[in-house]
């Protein structure tokens, strides 16, 4: 966890993610990434020189078999206020619309519901659990499937809602996150989504894993290209104030 905390702090500082007095909500899906984000920020607030507070928010989408009671217990242990909001995303996507490619609609509905919830709570900053491997996969997905060079930004300001998204795990590798979640026995909620593990992201993840056998430093080079390429929001020199 000390390694994760060090990487989170460096990422937060490199991209000026947190200002004094911020209330930072963590979008907790129940997966390992969001739970590690929550735990890291809850621990970081104890010694970070800029004072900020942490809250947790979960959209309960109605997926069968998902319980967030153990997540609520974790939030109490971390002394983080926890908000759970019921939204019928699963029913709309799989029962009403019967989407053959459900990921896009699901993401759109969850994103809209989350922004509405944050606005209702008066929160203007949210931490998402995207990590090092996610950034690399997104870069390749955009290149292979859309023919463009692009990726989500470390810090994204949504001008229509006034909400800022931050991604403090961007320096953390997925294997380290998985290891920390297991060692801390974080209450990971298994995702029962029928599309889980059968997406284009999974295809790209497997492609990268295959390439690593021949090019062990491929991830490092791809991530470095994000920070060197003139991609808005990524260049560290441009972010300096």
């Amino acid at each position: 966890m000390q390694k994760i905390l060090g990487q989170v702090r460096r990422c937060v500082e490199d991209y000026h993610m947190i200002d004094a007095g911020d209330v930072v909500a963590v979008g907790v899906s129940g997966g390992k990434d969001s739970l590690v984000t929550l735990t890291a920020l809850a621990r970081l607030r104890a010694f970070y020189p800029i004072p900020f507070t942490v809250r947790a928010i979960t959209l309960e989408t109605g997926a069968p078999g998902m319980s967030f009671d153990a997540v609520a217990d974790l939030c109490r242990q971390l002394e983080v206020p926890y908000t759970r909001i019921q939204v019928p995303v699963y029913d709309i996507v799989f029962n009403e619309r019967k989407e053959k490619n459900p990921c896009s609609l699901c993401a759109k509905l969850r994103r809209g519901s989350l922004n509405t919830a944050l606005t209702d709570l008066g929160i203007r900053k949210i931490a998402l659990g995207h990590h090092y491997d996610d950034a690399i996969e997104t870069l390749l997905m955009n290149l292979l499937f859309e023919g463009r060079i692009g990726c989500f930004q470390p810090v994204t300001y949504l001008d229509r809602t006034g909400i800022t998204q931050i991604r403090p795990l961007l320096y953390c590798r997925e294997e380290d996150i998985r290891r920390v979640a297991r060692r801390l026995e974080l209450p990971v909620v298994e995702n029962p989504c029928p599309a889980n593990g059968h997406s284009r992201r999974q295809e790209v993840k497997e492609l990268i894993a295959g390439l690593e056998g021949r090019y062990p430093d491929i991830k490092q080079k791809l991530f470095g290209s994000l920070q060197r390429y003139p991609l808005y929001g990524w260049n560290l020199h441009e972010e300096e104030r």
Side-chain angles (χ1 to χ4, degrees):
M1 191 64 200
Q2 289 303 116
K3 178 180 179 181
I4 293 286
L5 273 175
Q7 292 170 333
V8 167
R9 178 170 182 169
R10 183 159 57 90
C11 187
V12 167
E13 291 177 344
D14 281 352
Y15 289 103
H16 310 289
M17 291 183 174
I18 295 176
D19 296 312
D22 272 350
V23 177
V24 181
V26 179
V28 180
S29 66
K32 66 183 188 314
D33 305 331
S34 63
L35 291 174
V36 170
T37 303
L38 172 65
T39 304
L41 289 180
R43 294 191 181 189
L44 182 66
R45 69 183 168 178
F47 62 85
Y48 197 60
I50 297 175
F52 69 98
T53 57
V54 180
R55 293 190 60 165
I57 182 169
T58 290
L59 298 179
E60 299 195 64
T61 60
M66 295 187 77
S67 172
F68 291 89
D69 293 346
V71 176
D73 292 337
L74 174 65
C75 289
R76 281 189 287 270
Q77 294 170 19
L78 296 173
E79 298 183 345
V80 172
Y82 185 35
T83 301
R84 300 162 69 173
I85 298 171
Q86 307 288 331
V87 288
V89 173
Y90 188 92
D91 190 52
I92 292 172
V93 173
F94 292 103
N95 297 330
E96 292 183 15
R97 298 281 293 269
K98 295 181 173 60
E99 290 284 324
K100 293 182 179 179
N101 299 301
C103 296
S104 177
L105 177 60
C106 180
K108 182 178 180 180
L109 292 174
R110 287 188 292 110
R111 186 164 53 246
S113 298
L114 182 59
N115 288 341
T116 298
L118 290 171
T119 300
D120 291 344
L121 292 168
I123 298 173
R124 291 290 177 264
K125 185 164 288 186
I126 183 164
L128 304 177
H130 297 120
H131 49 68
Y132 184 92
D133 296 77
D134 285 331
I136 294 166
E137 291 159 12
T138 300
L139 173 66
L140 284 185
M141 286 172 66
N142 286 331
L143 185 61
L144 295 174
F145 301 127
E146 298 182 20
R148 66 183 181 89
I149 297 174
C151 185
F152 50 72
Q153 300 160 22
V155 177
T156 306
Y157 177 71
L158 307 175
D159 55 5
R160 292 182 61 183
T161 60
I163 293 169
T164 298
Q165 299 173 339
I166 63 174
R167 296 174 169 87
L169 288 193
L170 277 182
Y171 290 170
C172 305
R173 293 179 180 253
E174 185 172 23
E175 60 188 27
D176 292 330
I177 294 169
R178 184 179 293 109
R179 187 177 302 114
V180 165
R182 185 170 57 250
R183 288 185 178 178
L184 295 180
E185 298 182 343
L186 297 180
V188 174
V189 181
E190 295 300 326
N191 184 0
C193 175
N196 193 30
H198 301 283
S199 62
R200 282 185 166 180
R201 181 172 294 277
Q202 183 62 32
E203 292 177 15
V204 170
K205 187 185 293 288
E206 292 170 3
L207 172 64
I208 295 171
L211 290 171
E212 277 189 295
R214 296 181 61 186
Y215 312 105
D217 60 348
I218 188 171
K219 286 185 179 180
Q220 182 180 348
K221 288 184 175 178
L222 287 172
F223 191 87
S225 72
L226 283 168
Q227 295 183 311
R228 291 188 299 271
Y229 185 80
L231 202 60
Y232 180 77
W234 274 93
N235 190 292
L236 290 174
H237 299 296
E238 291 179 357
E239 291 299 313
E240 290 177 357
R241 293 178 179 177

